[in-house]
């Protein structure tokens, strides 16, 4: 492994202070998780809880562990609805959470990303409360349309579990983008699509196998086997300290399409394919310029 994580005494002290502040209010925050207190919409989004308790913890991963670099942030609109479409990987969905930190902390308008999440996120105890409080919503066209109509920045990762749980040998090869539902939503709402390419997440939990029987028993889409999990138990859940880059591409505008374009399967498929090809090309380009996953 190359590339040590830069972590001096001042940074360690700041990290400890952040954790102390978060833990000090932990009891109140946990009680608030299971209530409607602080919610600003009927999805349950709680901006105050997210900013005060959830993002500070994720920020430590973003800044100190994955050391994320951002490129093309100017392509993300400063206001109004837009659909941010990204690749998905890493066994656990940390890439989606790092996107939230990136846009909230570093975008000029400090935009909040409302992520479309799979049903599983809302079926698991505690996870479902964290998801809704952080602004995630069940992935369906109706919810996406509502959010875009309200001027929200909506995040979608069309590969879903096929991307998240793909074998390590298939890293950075995009899986099928579903049926192109995101493209139909963009066409109906006439909102721009912002392609997003993430490099670094593929290596945090190298998936070398799976246990389908266990997955079925636990009602999970897959049960990963990595070099450290389940061999090392809980310690095996510590991600590899890879160096990440997130690149936002130029928006693909949909307001020039005919108003009924979303009803034409060929148009929808072509637009979805264009977005996928753009992301794959960008991933390939980013990988060519990368010396090591860790530096």
């Amino acid at each position: 492994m190359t590339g040590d994580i830069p972590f001096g005494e001042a940074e360690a002290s700041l990290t400890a202070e952040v954790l102390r502040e978060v833990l000090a209010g932990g009891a109140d925050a946990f009680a608030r998780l299971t209530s409607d207190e602080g919610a600003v919409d009927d999805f349950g989004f709680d901006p105050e809880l997210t900013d005060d308790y959830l993002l500070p913890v994720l920020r430590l991963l973003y800044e100190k562990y994955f050391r994320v670099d951002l490129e093309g942030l100017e392509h993300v609109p400063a206001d109004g609805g837009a659909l941010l479409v990204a690749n998905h990987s890493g066994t656990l969905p940390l890439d989606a959470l790092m996107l939230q930190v990136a846009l909230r902390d570093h975008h000029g308008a400090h935009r909040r990303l409302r992520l479309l999440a799979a049903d599983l996120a809302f079926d698991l105890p505690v996870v479902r409360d964290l998801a809704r409080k952080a602004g995630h919503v069940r992935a369906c066209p109706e919810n996406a349309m509502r959010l875009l109509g309200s001027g929200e920045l909506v995040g979608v990762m069309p590969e879903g579990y096929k991307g998240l749980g793909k074998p390590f040998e298939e890293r950075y090869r995009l899986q099928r983008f579903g049926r192109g539902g995101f493209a139909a939503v963009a066409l109906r709402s006439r909102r721009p699509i912002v392609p997003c390419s993430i490099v670094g997440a593929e290596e945090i939990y190298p998936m070398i196998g799976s246990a389908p029987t266990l997955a079925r028993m636990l009602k999970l889409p897959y049960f990963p086997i990595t070099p450290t999990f389940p061999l090392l138990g809980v310690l095996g859940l510590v991600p590899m300290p890879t160096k990440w880059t997130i690149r936002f591409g130029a928006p693909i505008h949909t307001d020039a399409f005919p108003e009924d374009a979303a009803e034409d399967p060929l148009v929808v498929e072509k637009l979805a394919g264009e977005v996928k090809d753009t992301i794959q090309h960008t991933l390939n380009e980013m990988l060519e310029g990368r010396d090591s996953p860790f530096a």
Side-chain angles (χ1 to χ4, degrees):
M1 183 184 301
T2 60
D4 295 330
I5 304 172
F7 210 87
E9 290 184 10
E11 292 167 316
S13 176
L14 177 61
T15 298
E17 182 62 29
V18 169
L19 288 175
R20 276 197 295 270
E21 291 180 6
V22 170
L23 291 173
D28 292 339
F30 188 79
R32 186 163 167 173
L33 272 179
T34 55
S35 73
D36 291 329
E37 181 185 354
V40 296
D41 58 29
D42 55 7
F43 292 117
F45 178 38
D46 186 340
E48 184 179 348
L49 182 73
T50 299
D51 284 345
D52 292 347
Y53 294 99
L54 304 183
L55 287 183
V57 175
L58 295 174
R59 192 173 289 125
L60 295 178
L61 279 176
Y62 181 98
E63 295 179 352
K64 308 301 181 185
Y65 201 76
F66 297 135
R67 298 151 289 147
V68 182
D69 284 335
L70 288 178
E71 299 174 1
L73 200 54
E74 69 276 6
H75 293 308
V76 180
D79 53 42
L83 195 63
L84 193 152
V85 181
N87 59 305
H88 204 15
S89 64
T91 305
L92 293 179
L94 293 180
D95 49 5
L97 301 178
M98 294 303 102
L99 272 177
Q100 279 192 282
V101 178
L103 291 160
R104 183 63 178 155
D105 284 5
H106 300 286
H107 191 275
H110 301 288
R111 297 212 66 175
R112 299 186 184 277
L113 182 65
R114 305 296 298 272
L115 287 159
L116 301 180
D119 288 346
L120 181 63
F122 300 94
D123 293 338
L124 298 174
V126 181
V127 173
R128 61 175 170 247
D129 296 317
L130 286 168
R132 68 185 185 89
K133 286 291 186 177
H136 306 178
V137 302
R138 286 185 187 269
C140 69
E142 294 77 16
N143 288 344
M145 290 292 292
R146 280 184 58 190
L147 291 171
L148 289 170
S150 299
E152 300 281 4
L153 182 62
V154 179
V156 59
M157 293 171 154
E159 292 175 280
Y161 293 127
K162 292 185 183 299
L164 194 62
K166 66 176 175 283
F168 186 63
E169 62 185 17
E170 296 180 19
R171 60 194 179 278
Y172 300 112
R173 279 186 264 165
L174 294 183
Q175 305 298 298
R176 185 170 178 265
F177 265 32
R179 297 180 179 177
F182 73 91
V185 165
L187 289 166
R188 277 196 192 94
S189 65
R190 307 183 76 74
R191 305 295 183 184
I193 296 172
V194 179
C196 176
S197 304
I198 305 171
V199 164
E202 292 276 16
E203 295 91 0
I204 60 172
Y205 297 111
M207 188 166 158
I208 57 176
S210 63
T213 301
L214 271 175
R216 284 194 298 270
M217 289 173 57
L218 297 172
K219 298 181 179 180
L220 298 173
Y222 54 87
F223 188 91
I225 297 174
T226 76
T228 59
F229 181 83
L231 181 64
L232 299 183
V234 175
L235 284 177
L237 295 176
V238 177
M240 300 291 283
T242 55
K243 178 77 170 63
W244 289 31
T245 300
I246 298 175
R247 182 182 295 179
F248 301 97
I252 298 172
H253 296 280
T254 62
D255 52 2
F257 283 82
E259 291 190 6
D260 61 350
E263 313 311 318
D264 187 335
L266 293 178
V267 174
V268 171
E269 183 179 354
K270 184 178 179 181
L271 178 58
E274 179 185 347
V275 176
K276 181 181 177 183
D277 290 346
T278 297
I279 295 173
Q280 183 67 74
H281 175 77
T282 304
L283 288 173
N284 295 342
E285 186 179 81
M286 293 165 73
L287 290 168
E288 286 177 6
R290 184 173 72 156
D291 295 326
S292 164
F294 303 99

